[in-house]
Each structure stands twice: as C-alpha cells, then as structure tokens.
Amino acid sequence: MKLHEYQSKQIFARYGIPIPKGRVAAAASEAKAIAEELGGRVVIKSQVLVGGRGKAGGVKLAKNPDEAEVLAAQILAMEIKGLPVRKVLVDEAAAIESEIYFSITNDRAARKPVMIASAAGGMEIEEVAAKTPEKIIKVHIDPLLGLRDYQARDIAASIDLPREYWKDFSKIATGLWQVYSQNDATLAEINPLVITKDKRLVALDGKMMIDDNAMFRHADLAEMRDVDEEAPAETEARKYGLSYIKLDGSIGCMVNGAGLAMTSMDIVKLFGGEPANFLDIGGGAGSDKVAAAMKIILSDLNVKAVLFNIFGGITRCDEVARGILVAMDEVKPKVPMVVRLVGTNAEEGRKLLADAKMITAETLADAARKSVAAAKGKK
Amino acid sequence: MKLHEYQSKQIFARYGIPIPKGRVAAAASEAKAIAEELGGRVVIKSQVLVGGRGKAGGVKLAKNPDEAEVLAAQILAMEIKGLPVRKVLVDEAAAIESEIYFSITNDRAARKPVMIASAAGGMEIEEVAAKTPEKIIKVHIDPLLGLRDYQARDIAASIDLPREYWKDFSKIATGLWQVYSQNDATLAEINPLVITKDKRLVALDGKMMIDDNAMFRHADLAEMRDVDEEAPAETEARKYGLSYIKLDGSIGCMVNGAGLAMTSMDIVKLFGGEPANFLDIGGGAGSDKVAAAMKIILSDLNVKAVLFNIFGGITRCDEVARGILVAMDEVKPKVPMVVRLVGTNAEEGRKLLADAKMITAETLADAARKSVAAAKGKK
Amino acid sequence: MSILINKNTRLVVQGITGNEGLFHTRQMVAYGTNVVAGMTPGKGGEWVDEKIPVFDSVKLAVEATGANCSVIFVPARFAPDSIFEAADAGIPLIICITEGIAVQDMMRVRNYIDQKKVRLVGPNCPGLLTPGESKVGIIPGDIAIPGNMGVVSRSGTLTYEVLYALKLVGLGASTCVGIGGDPINGTNFIDVLEMFEHDPQTEKVVMIGEIGGTDEDKAAEYIASKMTKPVVSFIAGQTAPPGKRMGHAGAIIEGGAGSAADKVKALEAAGVKVAKHPEEIPSLLK
Amino acid sequence: MSILINKNTRLVVQGITGNEGLFHTRQMVAYGTNVVAGMTPGKGGEWVDEKIPVFDSVKLAVEATGANCSVIFVPARFAPDSIFEAADAGIPLIICITEGIAVQDMMRVRNYIDQKKVRLVGPNCPGLLTPGESKVGIIPGDIAIPGNMGVVSRSGTLTYEVLYALKLVGLGASTCVGIGGDPINGTNFIDVLEMFEHDPQTEKVVMIGEIGGTDEDKAAEYIASKMTKPVVSFIAGQTAPPGKRMGHAGAIIEGGAGSAADKVKALEAAGVKVAKHPEEIPSLLK
C-alpha cells in the first residue's frame, strides 16, 4: 500500500524527522487559507500516488496566497498519468542549499533492511544508480539489532555531509529506521532531504509503502488507504484477499497461485490471445472468494472469454466449482467459459460443474487454445 | 542494586502483572488506615533488603485494622538480620489455592537470560533446586529476539498449570520479560505467584535486582535506592565509583582490580592477618577517588594498618600517590601504612611518596607480611 | 535415495486442528507420510483421527515422539513464531506452507534461523514430495510418480503442472521441492540444486522460476560452474507488466534485474534448456 | 610464534582522543605496537602525535589503513556499540578494555558476534601482550619478557603480578591474554588454552582464575581431556565472603558452584599445580 506524500510526512514528523510547515487541501480556497497562515512563499504539490508529478506540472511555487489559490485550482483540475488530482499539499517554500537522497527498504538478496543515501538528492535516483553507482551509499541493518548510530555516521561521512549536520542527520536516520520498522514499511524514502540556507536539515518530500501482509498490526495505517487512487475492481479484489491486476486483453483469467497465473497469461499470449488480467485467488480459497473473483473479472467489459485454471493443492477444486456456480447464478455471464480442474478434489469439482454449460480442458495448453478460440467466437 | 518488595511490585503492576491491593507504611497508624481502606484481612510485611523475613517473624496476618496497627507496630520495632525495619507493606490477604515460583535472571554460562519456574512456589527455591531439580523448569531467552509466546506456553505446560490459566500466565510472562529487559534487572522474581481460590493469578511477593552498570539509563530506578539499607561507607564508596565491602578484620586494603584485591586479602590471611575490607578502586582511578577510598577505609575503627597494593596499568601510580597525599593531609591517619607501587608511572609515584612516612614493599608477599606485622604493632 | 524427506521422516504438524491443517494431515497420512504428532496450543492431550497425538508445543511433541520434521499450517500473523518455536525445539527441517507473512517478520526469522543448524523450506510454498515415500505439505500426491527427475520450484500450483506433465509421459520425480515465492525465504535454488547434484537417485533436474529477484541468475552461475547433471527450466511471467511490485529503492537494489527475459538469457548461457511453457518440459528432458 | 597478536598486528584504537585512549596509545606505540589508526566520531581527519590518522568510523579506518585488530577505550555506555561497529567493519580481533558494561548489553553483544567470524577479548580486561612484539591494551610492557610461558587470566592487575613474578626469576611469556572478569565476555579460558596448546612457542601455561562462574571448572575438564602441556594455576578469592554478588536465581543456575575451593579441587584433579599465592607460581613452573 502506497501512502501519499502528506501522509508519509505526517508519519515522519511523529518520529522526530523535521518536515516543512504545511497542510493538505482539497479545494483552492482552502489552499489560499493555508498559504495565508504560513505567510511567505508556498509550494503547491499534487497528491497522487504516481511518480513524476514535477515533470507533469503537478508541483508549483506560489509567491502569495492569491497565486496559491490560482495554482491550486489549476493543479486540482489536472490528471497525472490518468489519475485525477483530488488533493494538494501546501508547504512553506524552503531555501535550498543542497539535496540528499535518503531511504530504507528491503534488500531481498541480503535478507536485511538496507539504508540508502546519496549526495545526488532530488534527482531521479534510478538514474544516479545506473550512471554513477559509486554515488549511492548502502548500509545493511541487522533486523534483530536495529540501526546503530555508527551506521548513520558512516553514511554521513560517505556522502561528505558537513560535520556540523552529523548529529541532526543521526537523529533523522534513527527516525527513519523507526518509521520503517515500526510501520512495516517496504520503503521509507526522503527525497530530497535538504540542507536549507539557514542550516537546517528538512525532509522536503516523503514516500512510504507499507507491506500489505503486515496491515493486521497497523489499523491506523489501514485508515490512510486512499481508495480513490485505486481502480474499483482492485479495491473490491483486496476486500476478498484476491490479487488482481487489470490488463488490456480480452481473456479473463482466474487461476490459483501467482506462478501459475502468470504462466496462464504467458501461454494465452503464446497461443495468440491477450490476457485481460492477472488474478490469483490464492491458496485455500473458498466459494465466496471464487464468486467475488468471477464478478470482478466479468466487470471488465473487454472480456470476451474466461479461462479458469485451477490446480488443486491447498485450494480444493470442489470449493472452486461451488464458487463458480454461485457467481454464474448471480451474474448470468454471457461470455464463454473454459474450465480446467486438476488436483485436490478435482473429480468432485468436475461433477459439480457437469450441468453448467462450460468448455472443459485437460491440459493447460488445451485450455489456453480453447480460450483464445472462444474469445474469437470460435468453438 | 536491590529493590524492596513494594517497589518491585509497583514496577510489576506497570507491566500488567496483577499484584494485591496494598500500600507501604512507615508508621503503625498509617498501616491501620491502609487496612481500613482495604477492608477484610491484611498482611503486614516488613520491607528490608534481606531474605528470610517470614522466618524472622517479619510477616504477619491481621484480621482487622486494629490488629493491623498492633502488628505493624511490632514489626516496625524489629531488626531483621541486623537491619532495622523502617517500612511495612500492608497488602490485602489472598485466599491461596496454590503457589508457583517464577523468575528471570542472567545465565552467565549460556550468555542468555533464563526464565525459571517451578510448581513448588513459596518454598525456598534453592532447596527445591538442590533436592528436586526436575521440579525446576528453565527456558533460555534469546536476548535479541526476546521472549516468545510459545516459551511461556512451554513453561505453563511443564509446571502442569491448569489450562484455564495459560492466557493469564502468558501475559504475566510477557510482563516479567519487560520488567527484566526494560529495567536492566539481573533478577526479576515472583515468589510466590499464586492461584487464588477465586481463580486469579496474583504476584504475592516480588523481588528485583538492578544491574548497577546500567543505572545510567534508569534515572527513575536510581531514585528508588534505599540508602538507609546500606552501610554509610558503602553509600559513600558507590558515590565515588568504588567497590567496597566491609569485613571484620584489622588490615585495611586498597587495591586496584577486583582479582588483585581478592588476592591481597587472601595473602594477608595466608600470612596470619585478617582483611578489614575488600576495596577495588577500579581502573584509571584519579587522585580524588583514591583520597575518598582512603577516608572510607580509615572510617572503620577496627583498622590497625592499611595495605596499599597498586599495580599500575590503566591506573597510574603517580595519580594514586597524589590521592594518598591529599587524604593523609586531610585525615592525618594514626595507623601504619604499607605501600607497594608497581607498573605504570610507579617511579613517579614512589618519588611523590618519598617524604611521607610510609612502609614500602617490593613484592606482594613482602607487603602482606609487613602489613600483618604493622597491625600487630611490630615494625 | 531422495533429498530432505523419505520413509524415515517423522512429521509434526503445527496447526493440525485448523481447517487446512486437518485436511492436509489426512491427505499426508493417506499418502503414507509418517505423521507422528500434531501441535495446537491449548489442545494438548487431544487426538486427531484417534491416532495422532496433539501437543501444546513443538518441544513437547519432539520430546514425546522424536519428530524430526515440521510442517506449518498456521495463519500468517502467527507463523513467524511457529518457525521460531520449531527451530528452538531442535527440528532440523521446517516446512512453512503459510502464505502472506510480513517481509520484516521473515527477515527476523531468516536472520535467526541462520544462526541455528536449521533448514527452513518456504514460507508460501507447497512443501515437499518424495513420490512413493513421503509427502510434507500440500502437493497432491497422485500427480507424481517415483523417478529420477529432481524438481525445484518457486511456484506452488505451477509445480503441480510440471509434475503432472512429467507423469503423463511416464517420468517420475526423485523429490519435488517447492521453495516458495516470497522475497525472503529459507531455502533457495542453489541449496536444492546442490542436494540434487549429490543425490544418486536424481539424474536430471527441473527448475521452475519466475520474475523478480536474482535467485535464478545465481542458480545459473551455480549450474555453469558446479553442476554435472542436466537442468531444464521454465520461467513464469514473460507477459507480466513490469514495475507492479516495488518503486525506486527496490529497483536500485536489484539493479534493474529480475525480468523473465533476463533470467532465460542467464540460464541458457549456463547451458540450461528453457521451455516455452510447462507442458513442453517433458520433451526437453528426453 | 605467539597467539592472537604479533608484529603483523595492525591496530586501530577506538576512543583514541580520550584521556585513557591517548595515554595507552602512546604506551603501545612506545612498546613497538603498529598502531595504524585511531577512531573518534567527529574527529576524522585529525592526527594523533602527527603520525596516527584519526577516522570517524572503524569502517573508514579499515578501508584506509587495513587495520586487522581493534582496541576499545570508550565509556561503558558506548562500548557495546563500539564492539558492534568493529565487528561490522570486519575486524577479526577486538579487544575491549572498558569496564562496567551492563550485563544485558553484553548478552546482546555476545549473541551478535557469535554469528560473525569475530573474536572479542574482554570487556573489562587488560588486553594482550606478546613480549617484544606487540602490546594491545594496558598491560605495562616492562613487566614481562619474551619467553615460553603462555599466560591467561580473568583478572587485570593480578595478571601483572604474575608476569612480574615470572620476570623476576627470568621466565618470559609467549603471549599474555587477559580475558576479563565480567560475567559475560568474548573469550574464555578454553579458547585460549586451545590456542596455547597449538602454539609451538608456548611450553607451559599459567592460568589465573577467580571465584564466580564455572569457567575454571570447564577449563579443568578441557585440560584433563585435551591438553598435553603442563598448566599452573592460581585462583583468587579464597577469603572472599560468599553471596555478595547474586541472590536466589543466580545460585540456582550456577548450582552452588563458583567457590575458590571448588575450583582449586577441580583443577588439581585435572593435574594442574595450584599456587597458594601468585609469587609462588614461578617455582611451580620449574
């Protein structure tokens, strides 16, 4: 789950990381009021969950409250990468001396959290990593021991941070570690962390991603989820614990297991079709979950055929069959359905579906071939 | 540093461990008032920092407030193992079904904290350990991972705790782990943890010892130190970071290093003397510390001679000599002093002491022999 | 021979009285796995199907039954503790089926068990199957037959496809190991490839990978430098849209690696035949 | 030969600009120890006595100077982090002189460094001395001469007594190792006895113990079963009043062990000659 900049920075502040004064606004008049409160120049920043807001014109500097109102109105009317801007953050403008990149994320190869910093802040950090990897400093953190002070010091020295800022940097590093570890973040990023002309370190921009698997211990964060930023089908899918990503093809896929789901998409493509989605119903799905999944797939009007590929293990084919029947009863689908059931309780599942008008398949290749043909209107 | 029962139980309560209702009193009338408040029967418990209070008659049951007053007065007039009773704890009396021993301490051989429990609670636990060690359950805790729930469960099962109490026991175990780890305890002990007739688990008695080396992060605990319970000389010694234990002999010893201090005592005894104290001035002691140490030694009127045995390493002999001179100037000691300085800056030290009237020695055996002779009035 | 599990495996099932735990325990028993104990806190003293004793902790189960392998069917929020518990109880082989464990939990788990002499397989994996001898986990027993192919896979159900495809042409497996698809897991490709390399029964190896991470690339290096037995592979996710998982920092760490195309390239460079779809694998093994 | 330190030791001093750190650095340099770097946070770029560069972190010191040994003179509340830092920087031998580190801190330290290939000596120890070659720590250099006696001790200044007593009769040391007197430390008697047993230069070993713990008893077992070289010992604390350290639970754990008399008995049973006082040791080595 991604958090907005303003949400991330609110969390940062709780852990002692200095952020600019500012507040979020949903209307231009509100933005003006905030600008008046703050006094001086302000930055109006669109709050959408995609990168490249600056390049898209979604971040603007306003010299006074009136200009803030005008610019906020402009930005609130924008769409960035297809997402309408619903909120803007109004922050006091900082006089920047220099910029630092600073983050913590998971290093899966090292199986440890890694703290990343670079003196080349503010820039696209992937670009820095690709072109001048020596400018990126990485320090692994022992997950049982936590961040140690000397690690922050090592980073400060390695990015040539002037010594007068080391103490504050150390506090920010400790704060960022707490942000990361106490909120189950998969990413806690400050970019840029700036040195201001008046010699302060301030987190000018912030980004956080939270591990969806850890939401059970973060009721407070769950409330921060901005469902406006998701496709309604994805919100619905999450509600049922389904993993769903909408794509542009015509063959809906419902599969158990991420690997098999990807493989089913691959093979649909291999046989000349285009998958309409990635959908993993997960392990041990019951009939209600299957029914929900089917409704989600059919809510996509591009779908011309549906491929069910279930290889039972922890998932039982009879449960899946029951879910399909429930959903068919409710939704009355008009597109052809190709079903392949193998593994745990496959026999029972096939029996349950015997009366429903479905195309059956034995092998995966066979199922893919039949789906592609069905989507093209052939039997 | 040892904490009183009432202090330990106050800390327990902060971590969710149930304790009986009650309060501490310094006067019998106060004890009566508390008993009135609590209603019903109360237990009057002497608060002294030694074991065996029960056997010494320092714990009594009172049926009503008047009896509480009488018994409190009796107990407040007692001395237990030489310590006057200055406070009593007045607790509501519990109807006990059964008793459990439960503690966490450091296992130096395993280099881990160890949780210890026994169904034979309330008894002298050393006796249980000696006679029926199989009744003592020990579970080691990983210091980086902390106590896990299954460990508490394992203990509950191993001491045959009825299953209905497992959940509460688990919470108490978690609380005790926090008590231990968040307060740098070297011992956090509940003995007994009782099951009451009305089916609750309650920590009836509590004991905590805190690591003196960790006091820098526990200002709150430092305030709990009861200096009334210490010999004034020990309080004074602690103030200067000296390790001092008063003994019954006549030869005062001032040595640097615990091992050498013990050896100096051993060799004094080997040559027919009796050490008056153990005193380690520690590593790198300055002259003020040495002067304080000397004053503490001389405050013991049994002392007939003083042995200074300093083998310089991190401690510098010249600093020690300076401290001796300062102290001699202030205290004007009348007993003979035997000095042996070897190691770092020994030459400078010897020069500084050349004018003071002191007996010098080359070897440790020589120093011990001379001290014993000096204490007996021989030269 | 086989690897990891065989007829001598004495299994304890953590979470045996739960819905999934019970279902798959029965499946394992039916297959012939020697399930010696179950474990559910608070249910010690009960029996499952009148023949498997249930204990309150893994330690108690090990003491009473000599269990030497554990399988975990416990909800994700409790599963990390279940792994710690099995490791502390001295179980040398722990298979965690549970899916959806938080990444930071798994980092703690992995860093802890690395200190102990413990092998964890999974989490989020289908478990192990040594056809005809023992099955630990949820791989349907009837989709594989005994044979000489070692199978190792990051995917769950995709593994079944492959076993099933092998069976349809009469090819059997020595052992099938599902290592699980989570970013942090206990056993990786190289660990299993090494075991297959040293297992006399295994003649050829099938390795099923997918997009993300660099495990397949490391496996390719290992195969090129250390393996004498032929390896056939399939990589899932050729059509997966990129960047759906992690943002900036993740991309930096993985250095842009992790695409299916890159993995296929690395494997082919190591002399591995890579199938276009799973049902093509049997023909590549001929 | 010698153990642990010699002419090739490249030392970094943690806390070099502190009072004690600076004093003993000069002593070590005067003795001939190759002090290649110092480390004090915030003082990187400075120089000590115009010849030892100071760095902001151990990692930076190691990168710049190839230091392979560290000695720690840092106040007790910061010393645990100094040990972590040295271990993380890949220093294989860390000597911690600092006294008064909290026990729970040391439990975390020890459990952490046990995961790494790192040897910690101390804390609360006088350090190491290989006479004529290198001294790391605070043992006064002029009290010992090169020779064939291995010396290992839990005590600080008591060790000096023994070295000095040896020197007075012309006996020298191969290496002297002060393992420190804290309840939780990095290196114990057995570790050092094993090194001496395998060191060609060492002919006999002197082991200085004291009351508390069971390290001497374990050493006695080791000596009886594994050592061929003669061992002479002294145990401090014969007259120490009992029970001044820990209460109930500690006594349970140590099972009543830890008295000087018990230790002497165990050592004598293992064939070790035990001196009545430290100055008696030289005659027992003859």
Side-chain angles (χ1 to χ4, degrees), chain A residues 107-108 111-112 126 143 180 185 207 211 213 216-217 256 260 263 266 283 311-314 340 363-365, chain C residues 23-24 77 99-100 102-105 107 110-111 138 140 157-158 160-161 236-239 248 253-254 279:
Chain A
D107 183 347
R108 64 190 282 175
R111 300 168 197 119
K112 286 187 166 67
E126 293 95 328
Y180 166 89
K207 184 190 278 186
D211 184 351
N213 286 335
F216 68 89
R217 53 188 165 216
N256 63 325
L260 191 56
T263 303
D266 291 351
F311 211 121
I314 203 161
R340 174 172 178 260
T363 67
L364 179 50
Chain C
F23 178 83
H24 288 287
R77 68 177 74 182
E99 152 179 21
V103 184
Q104 292 195 22
D105 282 342
M107 291 196 291
R110 179 64 199 258
N111 278 270
I138 61 174
T157 45
L158 178 52
Y160 310 164
E161 286 290 357
Q238 319 259 355
T239 53
H248 292 322
I253 287 303
E254 301 189 355
E279 286 155 344

Side-chain angles (χ1 to χ4, degrees), chain B residues 27-264:
Chain B
S29 57
E30 229 183 303
K32 184 184 177 184
I34 296 167
E36 274 164 356
E37 238 176 71
L38 293 173
R41 301 183 315 157
V42 296
V43 186
I44 316 286
K45 307 174 89 176
S46 53
Q47 300 293 292
V48 281
L49 294 176
V50 288
R53 294 172 302 165
K55 277 188 193 159
V59 178
K60 293 264 165 70
L61 184 71
K63 284 191 229 49
N64 54 53
D66 289 329
E67 199 182 353
E69 184 171 25
V70 172
L71 291 171
Q74 280 173 15
I75 292 174
L76 283 165
M78 287 174 70
E79 266 197 6
I80 300 180
K81 294 186 184 171
L83 290 171
V85 178
R86 290 186 172 86
K87 283 175 195 151
V88 291
L89 175 62
V90 184
D91 265 1
E92 60 176 359
I96 298 169
E97 180 78 39
S98 65
E99 301 186 315
I100 295 160
Y101 174 90
F102 196 24
S103 74
I104 305 183
T105 188
N106 305 326
D107 184 346
R108 64 189 283 175
R111 300 171 197 115
K112 286 187 166 69
V114 62
M115 193 166 246
I116 304 169
S118 172
M123 296 172 55
E124 288 281 339
I125 194 71
E126 292 96 328
E127 216 179 296
V128 179
K131 288 189 190 154
T132 49
E134 72 283 0
K135 285 192 181 161
I136 306 241
I137 306 300
K138 295 175 201 165
V139 172
H140 286 102
I141 301 169
D142 187 281
L144 297 174
L145 204 59
L147 178 78
R148 316 305 300 187
D149 242 12
Y150 58 87
Q151 298 181 305
R153 216 189 305 128
D154 254 342
I155 292 173
S158 302
I159 61 169
D160 292 323
L161 186 71
R163 198 157 274 153
E164 55 191 299
Y165 298 107
W166 284 20
K167 270 219 172 103
D168 287 343
F169 183 79
S170 229
K171 278 182 205 155
I172 292 171
T174 303
L176 196 63
W177 167 250
Q178 289 167 338
V179 165
Y180 165 89
S181 59
Q182 294 179 19
N183 295 284
D184 274 290
T186 54
L187 172 70
E189 183 184 78
I190 308 176
N191 187 23
L193 173 66
V194 302
I195 302 181
T196 61
K197 298 254 186 231
D198 58 344
K199 311 259 171 216
R200 291 175 302 125
L201 284 173
V202 180
L204 225 53
D205 199 348
K207 183 189 278 183
M208 281 180 71
M209 292 171 70
I210 310 293
D211 185 351
D212 284 316
N213 286 334
M215 292 310 289
F216 68 88
R217 54 189 165 216
H218 302 293
D220 54 329
L221 295 176
E223 281 172 24
M224 288 188 172
R225 190 186 293 273
D226 189 346
V227 290
D228 287 345
E229 297 277 319
E230 290 179 329
E234 288 177 12
T235 309
E236 187 70 12
R238 205 190 45 257
K239 214 167 74 188
Y240 286 91
L242 301 163
S243 189
Y244 172 82
I245 297 168
K246 194 190 159 335
L247 302 170
D248 298 326
S250 62
I251 299 175
C253 299
M254 185 166 101
V255 189
N256 63 326
L260 191 55
M262 286 192 288
T263 302
S264 302

